[in-house]
């Protein structure tokens, strides 16, 4: 028995692979393109582990997907592969269209042929789990109810539009061809191995380096925060017991404005790694011009997942953020290794032109 994980060297995918193999001996075939955010160092603890087979490749490579399906005969595919950064999608949307839409389409086509050729019992047991985002639902007003699974799709960035399109393709392949799919839409993840272009790791890395902590606009954009290992446990639960064709929202029940997140990170660093001059890290906060089309609020209603499958997050934001900050303090080598010239160029491109 085996599972195929796509995007398994990225932030959420790598955490899932590590979590899976901590609890199961089932073979994981891990396909990743190793773009800037894909990092084999995330999986270094699996070096020499025969339960983990890494394949460098693209979900848009139909021949490769077909070969992996034929060779390993997976009982399930978990699709984490995606371009996922809103700011990057604003600067260059084409990569998001190619990976998130075209790549998903080509993978679905290969899976459809593979699944149809399986024996009836294997067909019945097979699952394709597509990992998506709450950003497909658009933006909420301050007092509007949280996103449910039936909320209208209203994506507002090239990233979220490309993920919405991939969600629709997955749904269509179930309703048209019968492919046994599951979709999860998660809120903002945080935790170990998070590439430092996203809010929480960027604040930690910049704070320790004595750099400005850039906060978009007034910092009152609200997000629901989900510790990545809670997300992994939710995906395992959906894969094991989710109803075919259904969508499950995964959230942490932690709605907080971005500025509060930054203040929390600063306070933890003041405690765990004080500045040499004794001054608080909050002094490094710099308000910068907001990004175009910045959604004001996301919030996930995860009651369906709790009601049907009995899942709830194990971490509060307070416990999860402390674990996250401590991980970055304990893994400065990992941070240094990913801060390549291309990463520095990106930070300069995205933030240098923004006026305070």
């Amino acid at each position: 028995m085996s599972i195929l994980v796509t995007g398994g060297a990225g932030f959420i995918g790598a955490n899932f692979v590590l979590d899976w193999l901590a609890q199961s001996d089932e073979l994981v075939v891990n396909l990743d393109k190793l773009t800037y955010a894909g990092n084999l160092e995330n999986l270094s603890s699996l070096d020499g582990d025969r339960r983990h087979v890494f394949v460098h490749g693209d979900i848009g490579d139909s021949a490769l997907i077909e070969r992996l399906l034929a060779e390993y005969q997976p009982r399930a595919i978990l699709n984490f592969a995606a371009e996922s950064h809103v700011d990057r999608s604003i600067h260059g949307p084409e990569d998001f269209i190619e990976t998130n839409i075209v790549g998903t389409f080509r993978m679905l086509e290969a899976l459809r042929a593979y699944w149809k050729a399986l024996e009836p019992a294997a067909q019945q047991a097979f699952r394709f789990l597509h990992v998506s985002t709450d950003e497909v639902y658009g933006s909420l007003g301050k007092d509007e109810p949280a996103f449910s699974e039936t909320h209208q799709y209203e994506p507002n960035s090239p990233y979220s539009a490309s993920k919405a399109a991939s969600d629709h393709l997955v749904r269509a392949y179930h309703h048209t061809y019968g492919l046994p799919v599951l979709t999860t839409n998660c809120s903002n993840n945080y935790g170990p191995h998070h590439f430092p272009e996203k809010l929480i790791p960027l604040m930690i890395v910049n704070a320790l380096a004595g750099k400005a902590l850039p906060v978009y606009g007034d910092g009152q954009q609200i997000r629901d925060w989900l510790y990545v290992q809670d997300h992994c446990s939710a995906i395992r639960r959906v894969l094991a017991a989710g109803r075919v064709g259904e969508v499950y929202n995964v959230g942490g029940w932690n709605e907080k404005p971005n500025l509060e997140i930054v203040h929390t990170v600063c306070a933890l660093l003041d405690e765990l790694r004080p500045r040499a001059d004794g001054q608080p890290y909050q002094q490094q906060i710099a308000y910068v011009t907001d990004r175009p089309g910045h959604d004001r609020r996301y919030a996930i209603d995860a009651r369906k997942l709790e009601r049907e499958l009995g899942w709830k997050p194990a971490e509060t934001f307070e416990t999860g953020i402390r674990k996250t900050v401590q991980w970055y303090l304990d893994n400065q080598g990992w941070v240094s290794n990913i801060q390549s010239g291309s990463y520095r160029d990106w930070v300069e491109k995205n933030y240098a032109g923004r006026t305070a």
Side-chain angles (χ1 to χ4, degrees), residues 217-228:
D218 61 3
Q220 295 305 308
Q221 305 88 355
I222 294 173
R223 301 293 183 261
D224 172 35
W225 293 92
L226 173 67
Y227 190 61
V228 67

Side-chain angles (χ1 to χ4, degrees), residues 36 83-89 96 159 197-198 346 350:
Y36 71 93
E83 293 283 350
S84 66
H85 191 215
V86 173
D87 288 316
R88 286 182 185 264
S89 80
F96 291 73
Y159 160 59
E197 64 186 357
K198 303 294 179 74
W346 160 251
N350 192 51

Side-chain angles (χ1 to χ4, degrees), residues 36-345:
Y36 71 93
N39 183 3
L40 283 178
E41 193 173 348
N42 294 341
L43 302 164
S44 60
S45 63
L46 299 178
D47 289 348
D49 192 327
R50 290 187 290 181
R51 300 173 302 163
H52 178 243
V53 176
F54 180 77
V55 180
H56 183 197
D58 189 342
I59 61 170
D61 184 342
S62 300
L64 174 60
I65 297 291
E66 291 167 4
R67 178 177 68 78
L68 293 176
L69 294 173
E71 181 175 354
Y72 293 101
Q73 296 283 302
R75 67 175 181 89
I77 285 84
L78 297 103
N79 182 35
F80 295 90
E83 293 283 350
S84 66
H85 191 215
V86 173
D87 288 316
R88 286 182 185 264
S89 80
I90 292 169
H91 286 286
E94 187 168 351
D95 287 344
F96 291 73
I97 305 306
E98 281 296 323
T99 295
N100 298 352
I101 302 177
V102 178
T104 300
F105 160 71
R106 289 180 177 161
M107 183 166 53
L108 286 167
E109 277 290 275
L111 289 180
R112 179 163 68 98
Y114 166 74
W115 175 71
K116 292 293 286 185
L118 292 174
E119 296 295 326
Q123 273 193 8
Q124 186 71 22
F126 181 81
R127 296 291 184 269
F128 173 69
L129 195 155
H130 177 64
V131 179
S132 191
T133 172
D134 59 359
E135 296 191 42
V136 299
Y137 298 125
S139 185
L140 289 169
K142 182 178 180 181
D143 298 318
E144 289 185 280
F147 299 131
S148 72
E149 289 81 359
T150 58
H151 196 282
Q152 180 175 322
Y153 273 35
E154 295 180 319
N156 290 321
S157 70
Y159 160 59
S160 56
S162 67
K163 286 298 290 183
S166 70
D167 292 6
H168 291 320
L169 282 170
V170 171
R171 174 186 169 87
Y173 270 66
H174 171 65
H175 285 274
T176 302
Y177 304 114
L179 190 69
V181 306
L182 299 156
T183 298
T184 57
N185 293 87
C186 69
S187 57
N188 279 39
N189 279 223
Y190 68 100
H193 303 293
H194 205 178
F195 193 75
E197 64 186 357
K198 303 294 179 74
L199 178 66
I200 289 175
L202 179 66
M203 295 302 110
I204 298 170
V205 170
N206 276 18
L208 294 174
K211 297 179 180 178
L213 308 180
V215 174
Y216 285 150
D218 61 3
Q220 295 305 308
Q221 305 88 355
I222 294 173
R223 301 293 183 261
D224 172 35
W225 293 92
L226 173 67
Y227 190 61
V228 67
Q229 291 180 353
D230 279 332
H231 188 193
C232 293
S233 74
I235 291 170
R236 289 200 320 271
R237 183 62 185 146
V238 171
L239 179 64
R243 289 186 290 134
V244 168
E246 289 295 309
V247 175
Y248 294 92
N249 283 352
V250 187
W253 300 107
N254 287 307
E255 278 192 68
K256 296 183 183 298
N258 286 348
L259 187 58
E260 182 180 335
I261 299 297
V262 177
H263 285 166
T264 300
V265 169
C266 288
L268 283 168
L269 289 172
D270 288 339
E271 173 193 342
L272 299 170
R273 187 69 56 84
R275 281 177 31 162
D277 62 5
Q279 297 301 306
Y281 284 99
Q282 284 191 27
Q283 287 190 353
Q284 295 169 226
I285 293 174
Y287 294 91
V288 300
T289 305
D290 209 348
R291 72 183 177 206
H294 200 172
D295 290 337
R296 196 64 176 170
R297 174 176 169 243
Y298 304 143
I300 280 283
D301 181 343
R303 287 179 295 178
K304 176 180 176 179
L305 185 54
E306 181 176 355
R307 182 177 64 251
E308 293 193 6
L309 303 182
W311 178 88
K312 292 192 295 186
E315 300 289 344
T316 65
F317 184 74
E318 291 70 28
T319 60
I321 193 64
R322 179 174 287 273
K323 289 180 179 180
T324 300
V325 171
Q326 189 64 59
W327 187 89
Y328 279 88
L329 292 174
D330 293 342
N331 290 273
Q332 287 295 293
W334 180 90
V335 174
S336 297
N337 289 344
I338 63 172
Q339 289 180 303
S340 64
S342 60
Y343 170 74
R344 291 192 297 271
D345 291 345

